[in-house]
Amino acid sequence: MDPRIEIKSTEYFNHTFSPDFVLSWPESGRTQKRFVFLRLPGDPKYFAEDVQEIANLHPIIFGLEGDDRLDESIASVQELSYEFDTLVTDVHGVGRLAQNRQERSIANLVSSALLRGGRGVINSAEADNISTSVSQGFDAARRAEPGPTELAVETFSRHLAPGKSRQMTQFLQAVWISSHGRLEGFPGPRDLSGEISDESLEYLLHFEPINDPEFWRALGASVTVDQISRLQVSGYHENLQSLVQSNLDRLWSRNLRLNSGQLPIPTTSDRSTFWSVSRQALALHGDDYIAYFAQSAADLKHIKADRGHGLSVADIRQRAEHIHVSELTLRGGSESLTVEAQGRQSVLETKTFSSLPDSVLVPSRVTKATSNTLSGQEIHCDFIERDARAVTSARISLEDWLLAALPLLWPISSAELPRLADAFRVDQEELALVENDQLPGMQDEIGE
């Protein structure tokens, strides 16, 4: 019921103290586990005693269908299961959860939460009640409607262990706030941190597409690139596109690394330029490159860059035609030369650079450059390592990376322009093609 959960058989079938299966999954940087015990129906008294022996493990106890005594046996441990955060269910309860999961997207969240931290007795009828309550509560939270939202919170409290109940309530609160509901009006325990947990964010990104930019804009107020990079959301997700696109001016990073090529990521969209979480980093996939963003250089150390040989002067002139470049480093043989500009003038327009003879410019390669964002922040680009970093403590928005660095580090084709504009959800007029079919940047705007 949850593809992120790994199931391992212990081959100890129907053993009192050894689980039959072990569930494991990544959560908050650690591997979490839960034991599953299979039990045959029998005398309700003995079934209750059996359950009590292992209840301190907070396991899942799965009753195997055998005769009419099953329901009676399971019902006998109702209070015990709540007390010890133990989930007791059977083939009918699990079957109904799986069926609901196919019929309602929110049921994915429910079944996952129950496997990880469910408690109480869940038969088929209760499985339906839980799925219905949470589904209606989610829809109500999207409308900031208190009644059904409160019932969903109560369902979490009753059927989930305290830690998991707190996470799910926080998830519902995040939906409530993102739908412009007031925090003081949320009908449940309130999390005053204003943050959304990794797991709650994962739930939303795996959820069916939510085509509401205002929702994602509100949610993005507490989300960071660092948090997105930690998520277990491999592959293509439409909601990730919406989250990033709606917060390009908020989401920031200090480092960018480029690799050539594309990773084979399944997508139901016809996009070839899109966002993903790849190799523990937020990644932008282009036609023939992948750009990885991170809040620190250490977060990209495990990603080996495709080293380049620098750019010719002709290349840097072409790529930087509409980008403000304040410093260039040229290397020819064992000699290097750094040229700086003062004020708002681009280094390519300085007298110092213009006076360099062809005997210096033609054989030289540009190895480094410093570009400037519209707000004046500096980005240091390295054409050998094919990466870039913010200078000093600057926080560069994803939008500014597009306008001031990505076109310098990689030649963006005219064919990719509309897709790149869509991936960044910016007005394509801002990215209007120039004569050389490269993306424009900001020099004209800075010089105004």
Side-chain angles (χ1 to χ4, degrees):
M1 294 192 294
D2 185 338
R4 292 167 292 177
I5 293 180
E6 181 181 348
I7 304 174
K8 181 179 179 181
S9 173
T10 64
E11 300 183 0
Y12 287 105
F13 180 73
N14 206 28
H15 190 284
T16 302
F17 299 107
S18 296
D20 298 280
F21 298 95
V22 178
L23 310 182
S24 60
W25 62 91
E27 185 175 323
S28 302
R30 301 174 59 187
T31 298
Q32 306 292 336
K33 294 183 178 181
R34 195 173 195 188
F35 297 146
V36 179
F37 293 85
L38 304 181
R39 287 294 179 264
L40 291 167
D43 187 306
K45 176 184 176 181
Y46 293 122
F47 185 81
E49 291 177 353
D50 194 18
V51 170
Q52 191 164 14
E53 290 286 344
I54 56 175
N56 64 315
L57 299 174
H58 316 300
I60 297 174
I61 298 174
F62 190 88
L64 298 174
E65 187 173 19
D67 56 36
D68 294 337
R69 292 174 295 177
L70 179 61
D71 287 342
E72 186 182 354
S73 297
I74 289 179
S76 68
V77 295
Q78 179 78 261
E79 294 305 318
L80 188 67
S81 63
Y82 286 125
E83 181 182 355
F84 288 95
D85 294 335
T86 296
L87 177 62
V88 182
T89 187
D90 59 14
V91 65
H92 300 297
V94 171
R96 189 56 59 87
L97 286 173
Q99 181 181 342
N100 291 339
R101 186 173 180 267
Q102 294 177 344
E103 296 174 354
R104 309 170 186 169
S105 296
I106 193 66
N108 291 321
L109 181 153
V110 177
S111 59
S112 175
L114 288 171
L115 285 176
R116 300 180 187 208
R119 66 179 182 178
V121 173
I122 298 178
N123 53 24
S124 59
E126 193 62 20
D128 273 343
N129 291 337
I130 294 171
S131 296
T132 299
S133 172
V134 175
S135 179
Q136 292 177 349
F138 178 83
D139 291 340
R142 289 287 315 278
R143 302 187 299 269
E145 182 182 326
T149 303
E150 184 174 15
L151 292 177
V153 171
E154 292 173 356
T155 297
F156 294 149
S157 178
R158 183 169 64 255
H159 285 291
L160 295 174
K164 186 60 61 178
S165 174
R166 185 168 54 253
Q167 287 181 347
M168 295 302 297
T169 301
Q170 184 195 46
F171 161 79
L172 211 58
Q173 177 185 299
V175 174
W176 175 278
I177 300 282
S178 299
S179 301
H180 306 291
R182 298 177 63 85
L183 177 61
E184 57 268 27
F186 180 70
R190 294 160 198 154
D191 178 12
L192 302 180
S193 70
E195 299 176 351
I196 180 170
S197 69
D198 291 0
E199 188 174 18
S200 295
L201 188 54
E202 284 179 12
Y203 285 143
L204 275 173
L205 297 184
H206 281 98
F207 194 65
E208 64 184 17
I210 299 175
N211 300 314
D212 184 349
E214 290 186 6
F215 172 87
W216 294 110
R217 178 68 177 175
L219 184 75
S222 62
V223 175
T224 65
V225 166
D226 185 53
Q227 181 180 26
I228 295 174
S229 300
R230 295 195 302 264
L231 303 180
Q232 302 293 318
V233 286
S234 59
Y236 178 90
H237 293 274
E238 192 65 38
N239 284 341
L240 178 62
Q241 314 309 308
S242 297
L243 172 65
V244 176
Q245 290 165 352
S246 298
N247 294 279
L248 289 167
D249 59 329
R250 283 177 171 169
L251 292 170
W252 61 270
S253 74
R254 287 181 42 78
N255 295 85
L256 163 66
R257 176 159 292 177
L258 274 164
N259 273 344
S260 60
Q262 263 281 25
L263 290 180
I265 290 187
T267 171
T268 56
S269 167
D270 58 359
R271 295 181 181 179
S272 61
T273 303
F274 59 91
W275 297 96
S276 80
V277 179
S278 177
R279 304 179 71 181
Q280 290 138 10
L282 176 62
L284 175 69
H285 299 252
D287 279 354
D288 56 357
Y289 65 89
I290 305 172
Y292 299 95
F293 298 85
Q295 292 183 194
S296 73
D299 294 332
L300 295 178
K301 274 188 175 181
H302 62 287
I303 299 176
K304 185 176 176 61
D306 296 331
R307 288 173 60 88
H309 303 286
L311 302 181
S312 68
V313 172
D315 284 340
I316 196 67
R317 285 187 186 277
Q318 186 181 57
R319 295 189 191 184
E321 184 171 353
H322 291 266
I323 296 176
H324 185 267
V325 177
S326 58
E327 182 177 301
L328 285 179
T329 297
L330 299 94
R331 178 173 292 277
S334 60
E335 302 293 326
S336 65
L337 172 66
T338 298
V339 184
E340 298 181 37
Q342 301 296 324
R344 296 184 175 184
Q345 187 178 31
S346 170
V347 68
L348 296 169
E349 299 174 346
T350 61
K351 291 181 179 179
T352 302
F353 189 84
S354 300
S355 64
L356 292 175
D358 288 343
S359 59
V360 173
L361 294 177
V362 173
S364 296
R365 306 293 291 179
V366 179
T367 59
K368 297 177 182 179
T370 299
S371 62
N372 299 86
T373 68
L374 184 60
S375 62
Q377 295 173 307
E378 293 184 325
I379 301 175
H380 181 78
C381 300
D382 190 320
F383 301 111
I384 302 297
E385 298 296 333
R386 284 183 176 165
D387 62 15
R389 61 176 175 81
V391 177
T392 64
S393 58
R395 296 180 174 185
I396 311 297
S397 71
L398 296 181
E399 192 172 47
D400 281 340
W401 282 112
L402 167 66
L403 296 174
L406 185 58
L408 280 182
L409 289 168
W410 199 267
I412 308 299
S413 69
S414 59
E416 188 182 0
L417 180 67
R419 297 190 297 274
L420 192 60
D422 181 60
F424 277 86
R425 195 168 283 178
V426 296
D427 188 339
Q428 194 168 331
E429 290 184 2
E430 289 186 55
L431 303 177
L433 287 172
V434 293
E435 291 181 357
N436 56 19
D437 288 339
Q438 298 299 308
L439 285 173
M442 306 173 302
Q443 180 181 326
D444 293 342
E445 298 175 30
I446 292 177
E448 290 180 353

